[in-house]
């Protein structure tokens, strides 16, 4: 591998009918990084990933994945990419072992039997190799699909919501595995809706309506969004929450356990709000806190609203 | 990166075999359809065809002889397409299927009638298609009677009035008992294979798109040819089983003979199966759901039944229908099966039709490989 980015795309665009589903997206995924891909439902994540591995032909833009042109060298890309689809797309009428064996053959793996046995073992499914994949529970299907796309030791993993429906323990194991792979130099692009997963990424891109709103190293994202946040402790938070929501100077009120996080882009306006409240009721404690990824994304998500409604309206 | 990977081909092949084994519908189709169709078509179908190609050997050019021929022609059952000399040439035409009848007018036909010697008109018929022969022969006596009466007038009217001024000897070839089933049954093999082979592959591939497994499949480095071969070969096996079931059932139910070369049959049906599977593959590249795949397959089955010579004698169809029919693989396979099973044909007899099927197959394969998408667009 050269030192260049694992994925590098410019102006990537995809149009379905009248909808521009992915709109001039630039993206740079450094080799060996864990790159989080976030965005509301229907924002174009899956479509973007498909274009990156040559499964969809872009209507505009260009790019290279693992150094190969995404338009003309799809096959070379596919040899070294492990792609896990969002929807389970292994064969439900084949057994777990048969599915793994199929994938092993597809990539021409040596010692196929041993590789498949290892995968089954790592999954903890040694005893269930002969169960039909279609009869697995949703979470187990995800884990099988993930194992299947990693069997050929790809240089790049494209994971489309790999942990949707997976229990917390399995999710933690999954992320441990991702970090381990990353240390070995494997690049991982992972789309997710979970914030606790986003914070584990080295880089993050956020996409809405097919447009990339922000991208960069994960720790820089909150600062770039530029949100000022105050943490509020105290009694009767519900009443306070309602009051704050009604205040136009407060852009975001989010509940975190027994606390409220009150945020705005306009730091001065928010200071004024905090000042008013501390004066007229002393029961709550207000502490200014460092902006975190989580608030930043809630902010991005609420301001970009629901993509589906927007494109639906545009189509009419 | 190899152009063709045995490993990937094997992956698709084994997967497909396992899926087929677990799909009860495939097994039902494999065993059920041949038997069901045999019963329906073998016992029920009949027809009254016209304009059947006929050759004449005229050893007598007298007015009476000509009247007999023109009477046959105006009846619409016979269509005189040429003249032959010698039994050899006539037999060859019957075997080839270029003619259904050869009519031989003996020498001195008119003179012998007038002398009251009751000469014999010999009609050789390709009875492997008994519906064609039966109806025409049934009408023949009336046709000839009229012709004679109209020609032998005046002083000769008395000759015409004599019982049996001449006689007709019918020589049925290939299926002397004139059993309809004997003809229908081999043709049915062509139709059954066309129906199931096309449908089964089309559905097997579209199913991948419908279930979403196509995305995993094409996200691997697999090549179209590997997918196509891997998907097609397991169903060749289905074709074998179907043919075996069919032949046994045909033997048990209708006692259909098998007189020709086993090799010729084997070669012919292998090529035919593969072409139909390729056709199924082509359909799968044109439709999106299993339902559409089914509808498309059934649409194709209609011309196969109607224009291949299965329902109506091919030679009796109008030109445009024959042109369409020639492009249908079943037309050629039907001829191969009839030649081999009923007429004792061998490799030499089937080369023409074999070549036609191969050609159709190559065209279909080329189009489907061009149409097969390696992306989800
Ligand atoms: N094949 C297609 N034909 C037409 N429209 C499509 C097609 N695939 C996707 N779309 C549309 O493109 C938009 C983006 O879809 P995409 O699946 O990329 O979103 P996503 O970000 O992955 O969403 P989610 O988080 O729900 O998975 C959606 O509005 C979807 O309806
Ligand atoms: Mg998606």
């Amino acid at each position: 591998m050269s030192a260049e980015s694992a994925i590098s795309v410019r102006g990537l665009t995809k149009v379905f009918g009248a909808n521009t589903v992915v709109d001039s997206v630039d993206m740079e995924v450094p080799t060996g990084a864990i790159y989080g891909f976030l965005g509301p439902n229907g924002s174009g994540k899956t479509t973007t990933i498909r274009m990156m591995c040559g499964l969809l032909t872009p209507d505009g833009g260009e790019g290279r994945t693992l150094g190969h042109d995404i338009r003309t060298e799809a096959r070379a890309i596919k040899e070294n990419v492990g792609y896990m689809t969002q929807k389970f797309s292994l064969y439900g009428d084949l057994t777990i072992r048969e599915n793994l064996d199929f994938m092993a053959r597809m990539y021409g793996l040596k010692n196929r039997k041993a590789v498949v046995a290892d995968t089954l073992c790592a999954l903890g499914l040694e005893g269930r190799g002969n169960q039909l994949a279609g009869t697995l529970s949703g979470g187990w299907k995800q884990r099988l699909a993930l194992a299947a796309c990693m069997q050929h030791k790809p240089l790049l993993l494209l994971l489309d919501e790999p942990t949707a429906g997976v229990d917390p323990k399995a999710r933690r194991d999954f992320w441990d595995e991702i970090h381990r792979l990353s240390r070995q130099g494997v690049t991982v692009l992972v789309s997710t809706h979970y914030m606790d997963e986003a914070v584990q990424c080295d880089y993050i891109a956020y996409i809405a309506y097919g447009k990339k709103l922000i991208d960069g190293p994960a720790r820089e994202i909150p600062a770039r969004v530029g949100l000022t946040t105050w943490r509020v402790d105290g009694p009767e938070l519900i009443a306070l929450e309602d009051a704050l929501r009604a205040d136009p100077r407060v852009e975001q009120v989010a509940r975190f356990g027994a606390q409220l996080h009150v945020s705005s882009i306009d730091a001065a306006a928010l200071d004024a709000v905090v000042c008013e409240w501390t004066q007229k009721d002393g029961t709550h404690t207000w502490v200014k806190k460092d902006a975190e990824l989580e608030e930043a994304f809630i902010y991005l998500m609420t301001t970009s609203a629901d993509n589906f409604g927007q494109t639906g309206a545009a189509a009419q | 990166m190899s152009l063709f990977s045995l490993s990937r081909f094997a992956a698709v092949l084994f997967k497909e075999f396992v899926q087929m084994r677990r799909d009860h519908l495939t097994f039902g189709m494999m065993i059920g359809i041949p038997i069901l169709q045999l019963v329906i078509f073998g016992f029920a179908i009949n027809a009254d065809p016209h304009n059947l190609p006929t050759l004449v050997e005229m050893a007598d050019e007298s007015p009476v002889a000509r009247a007999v021929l023109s009477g046959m022609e105006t009846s619409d059952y016979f269509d005189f397409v040429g003249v032959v000399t010698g039994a050899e040439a006539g037999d060859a035409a019957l075997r080839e299927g270029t003619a259904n009848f050869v009519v031989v007018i003996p020498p001195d036909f008119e003179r012998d009638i007038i002398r009251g010697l009751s000469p014999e008109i010999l009609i050789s018929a390709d009875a492997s298609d008994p519906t064609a022969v039966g109806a025409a022969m049934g009408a023949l006596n009336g046709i000839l009677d009229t012709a004679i009466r109209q020609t032998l007038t005046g002083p000769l009217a008395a000759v015409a009035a004599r019982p049996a001024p001449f006689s007709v000897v019918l020589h049925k070839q290939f299926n002397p008992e004139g059993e309809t089933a004997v003809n229908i049954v081999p043709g049915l093999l062509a139709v059954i294979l066309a129906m199931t082979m096309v449908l089964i592959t089309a559905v097997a591939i579209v199913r991948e798109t419908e279930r979403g497994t196509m995305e995993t499949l094409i996200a691997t480095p697999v090549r179209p040819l590997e997918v196509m071969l891997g998907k097609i070969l397991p169903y060749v096996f289905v074709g074998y089983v179907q043919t075996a079931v069919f032949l046994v059932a045909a033997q048990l139910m209708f006692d259909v003979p098998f007189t020709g070369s086993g090799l010729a049959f084997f070669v012919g049906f292998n090529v035919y199966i593969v072409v139909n599977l390729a056709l199924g593959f082509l359909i799968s590249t044109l439709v999106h759901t299993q339902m559409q795949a089914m509808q498309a397959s059934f649409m194709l089955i209609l011309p196969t039944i109607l224009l291949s010579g299965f329902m109506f004698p091919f030679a009796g169809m109008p030109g445009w229908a024959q042109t369409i029919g020639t492009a249908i693989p079943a037309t050629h396979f039907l001829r191969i099966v009839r030649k081999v099973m009923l007429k004792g044909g061998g490799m030499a007899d089937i080369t023409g039709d074999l070549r036609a099927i191969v050609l159709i197959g190559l065209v279909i394969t080329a189009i489907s490989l061009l149409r097969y998408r390696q992306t989800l667009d």
Side-chain angles (χ1 to χ4, degrees):
Chain A
M1 269 311 296
S2 61
E4 69 179 298
S5 306
I7 300 175
S8 167
V9 294
R10 295 265 162 277
L12 214 54
T13 300
K14 184 75 194 176
V15 182
F16 286 123
N19 293 339
T20 304
V21 163
V22 176
D23 196 352
S24 333
V25 168
D26 299 342
M27 222 151 119
E28 208 70 42
V29 179
T31 301
I34 301 176
Y35 199 102
F37 196 12
L38 283 78
N41 291 136
S43 53
K45 300 183 295 296
T46 301
T47 309
T48 307
I49 294 176
R50 283 174 173 166
M51 286 192 281
M52 287 169 168
C53 63
L55 286 187
L56 279 178
T57 317
D59 292 315
E62 63 196 357
R64 300 180 93 70
T65 295
L66 296 174
H68 303 290
D69 190 301
I70 58 171
R71 287 177 186 274
T72 56
E73 298 170 316
R75 197 180 315 278
I77 294 174
K78 289 170 182 176
E79 300 255 0
N80 293 303
V81 165
Y83 171 44
M84 177 178 168
T85 55
Q86 179 172 3
K87 178 176 170 287
F88 180 72
S89 60
L90 289 174
Y91 296 95
D93 51 354
L94 296 191
T95 65
I96 296 166
R97 183 176 287 110
E98 284 161 352
N99 268 300
L100 293 173
D101 198 61
F102 172 75
M103 292 300 271
R105 276 188 209 269
M106 274 304 195
Y107 292 95
L109 300 190
K110 308 261 180 303
N111 301 323
R112 215 180 62 243
K113 289 251 149 45
V115 170
V116 170
D118 285 351
T119 311
L120 277 173
C121 195
L123 269 173
L125 287 175
E126 303 99 316
R128 292 163 71 186
N130 295 327
Q131 184 180 342
L132 289 183
T135 63
L136 284 169
S137 74
W140 275 106
K141 277 184 185 152
Q142 292 293 93
R143 292 161 77 169
L144 172 63
L146 183 68
C149 80
M150 298 200 308
Q151 253 191 154
H152 61 291
K153 310 220 176 323
L155 300 171
L156 169 66
L157 280 173
L158 300 175
L159 309 176
D160 200 354
E161 298 191 28
T163 56
V166 172
D167 66 43
K169 161 82 169 70
R171 261 172 69 188
R172 184 165 319 146
D173 293 348
F174 163 78
W175 276 95
D176 287 347
E177 172 76 3
I178 295 293
H179 285 297
R180 198 180 57 77
L181 287 168
S182 169
R183 280 194 298 276
Q184 292 172 1
V186 175
T187 312
V188 182
L189 175 74
V190 51
S191 81
T192 180
H193 291 294
Y194 299 117
M195 287 306 141
D196 59 330
E197 295 187 352
V199 298
Q200 302 202 46
C201 297
D202 305 324
Y203 296 84
I204 283 172
Y206 187 90
I207 178 174
Y209 314 112
K211 288 199 176 67
K212 190 188 68 186
L213 297 187
I214 195 167
D215 67 342
R219 69 178 72 84
E220 291 177 15
I221 297 279
R224 287 222 216 145
V225 173
L227 219 50
T228 306
T229 300
W230 290 76
R231 188 174 62 220
V232 191
D233 270 311
E236 289 168 46
L237 284 176
I238 296 182
L240 178 64
E241 189 179 341
D242 288 344
L244 286 169
R245 275 192 203 285
D247 193 325
R249 290 168 299 177
V250 175
E251 284 184 281
Q252 179 175 312
V253 185
R255 217 167 225 291
F256 285 86
Q259 301 169 330
L260 288 183
H261 290 188
V262 184
S263 322
S264 176
I265 294 288
D266 188 343
L270 199 58
D271 282 348
V273 174
V274 175
C275 212
E276 282 170 27
W277 277 99
T278 39
Q279 275 165 16
K280 76 178 169 203
D281 105 322
T283 58
H284 295 104
T285 54
W286 293 74
V287 181
K288 192 168 188 170
K289 65 186 281 289
D290 283 338
E292 279 175 55
L293 209 51
E294 198 143 355
E295 282 105 33
F297 281 123
I298 294 173
Y299 176 75
L300 285 172
M301 249 183 240
T302 41
T303 47
S304 61
D306 175 31
N307 279 234
F308 189 74
Q310 209 254 353
T311 46
Q316 279 163 13
Chain B
M1 274 201 296
S2 52
L3 275 179
F4 185 86
S5 147
L6 268 183
S7 169
R8 292 192 298 251
F9 161 66
V12 180
L13 181 72
F14 288 133
K15 166 192 89 70
E16 210 63 33
F17 247 118
V18 172
Q19 288 187 306
M20 191 176 83
R21 209 181 59 216
R22 299 212 172 111
D23 184 8
H24 301 293
L25 193 69
T26 311
F27 265 96
M29 271 170 83
M30 210 153 61
I31 314 287
I33 287 191
I35 294 179
L36 193 71
Q37 300 266 10
L38 262 178
V39 171
I40 294 175
F41 281 94
F43 289 116
I45 302 293
N46 219 329
D48 184 17
H50 287 261
N51 290 325
L52 299 169
T54 305
L55 292 171
V56 226
E57 185 178 344
M58 279 194 92
D60 182 44
E61 297 273 358
S62 65
V64 177
R66 260 193 230 110
V68 167
L69 293 185
S70 75
M72 285 173 73
E73 180 134 44
T74 45
S75 75
D76 258 11
Y77 280 103
F78 305 91
D79 181 14
F80 289 104
V81 293
V83 178
V84 282
T85 38
E88 290 282 299
D91 281 354
L94 289 183
R95 188 182 311 279
E96 263 305 300
T98 50
N100 283 71
F101 298 98
V102 177
V103 179
V104 182
I105 308 283
D108 303 323
F109 179 65
E110 188 180 58
R111 201 190 63 197
D112 287 352
I113 289 184
I114 297 170
R115 287 186 184 167
L117 292 177
S118 190
E120 291 178 341
I121 296 180
L122 177 68
I123 299 187
S124 302
D126 172 1
S128 69
D129 194 346
T131 41
V133 176
M137 292 316 292
L140 193 61
N141 277 335
I143 296 168
L144 294 180
D145 257 7
T146 318
I148 293 293
R149 263 171 241 294
Q150 281 167 0
T151 333
L152 299 179
T153 48
L156 292 177
V159 179
R162 281 206 294 263
F166 66 92
S167 62
V168 175
V169 175
L170 177 64
H171 182 116
K172 287 187 186 174
Q173 302 213 32
F174 313 125
N175 177 19
E177 287 86 31
E179 287 175 43
T180 310
V182 169
N183 177 58
I184 287 276
V185 163
L188 199 53
L189 181 62
V191 172
I192 291 174
L193 285 176
M195 205 150 116
T196 40
M197 295 293 97
V198 171
L199 181 64
I200 233 167
T201 12
V203 164
I205 297 166
V206 174
R207 194 171 52 199
E208 300 244 10
T209 315
E210 232 178 47
R211 293 187 184 166
T213 53
M214 193 53 110
E215 193 171 2
T216 295
L217 188 64
I218 64 175
T220 69
V222 76
R223 285 174 184 272
L225 191 64
E226 292 153 4
V227 176
M228 185 164 179
L229 287 182
K231 286 242 164 217
I232 277 180
L233 279 184
Y235 298 106
V236 171
F237 165 79
V238 174
Y240 275 44
V241 175
Q242 261 193 341
T243 307
V245 170
F246 181 88
L247 288 178
V248 171
Q251 181 61 42
L252 293 179
M253 284 196 263
F254 301 107
D255 203 15
V256 176
F258 191 108
T259 59
S261 139
L263 175 72
F265 182 82
F266 186 74
V267 171
F269 105 87
N270 270 297
V271 171
Y272 181 64
I273 286 178
V274 171
V275 169
N276 277 302
L277 294 175
L279 193 57
F281 196 92
L282 177 61
I283 290 184
S284 77
T285 65
L286 300 171
V287 300
H288 295 106
T289 63
Q290 295 189 56
M291 195 62 194
Q292 290 171 339
M294 249 181 249
Q295 287 165 340
S297 309
F298 280 122
M299 256 164 63
L300 273 187
I301 240 2
L302 274 183
T304 299
I305 289 180
L306 298 177
L307 301 181
S308 66
F310 170 69
M311 282 285 266
F312 314 111
F314 190 82
M317 299 192 312
W320 61 267
Q322 290 196 8
T323 309
I324 300 176
T326 307
I328 299 174
T331 306
H332 304 282
F333 183 60
L334 198 93
R335 291 184 196 152
I336 291 178
V337 182
R338 283 184 181 161
K339 274 179 196 162
V340 173
M341 283 181 77
L342 306 179
K343 303 183 189 178
M347 279 308 284
D349 299 297
I350 67 164
T351 43
D353 287 310
L354 207 53
R355 205 173 297 139
I357 300 186
V358 170
L359 188 68
I360 297 172
L362 287 178
V363 172
I364 292 172
T365 308
I367 303 178
S368 26
L369 285 180
L370 281 177
R371 286 222 32 115
Y372 178 75
R373 289 279 135 247
Q374 296 178 69
T375 62
L376 296 168
D377 294 276

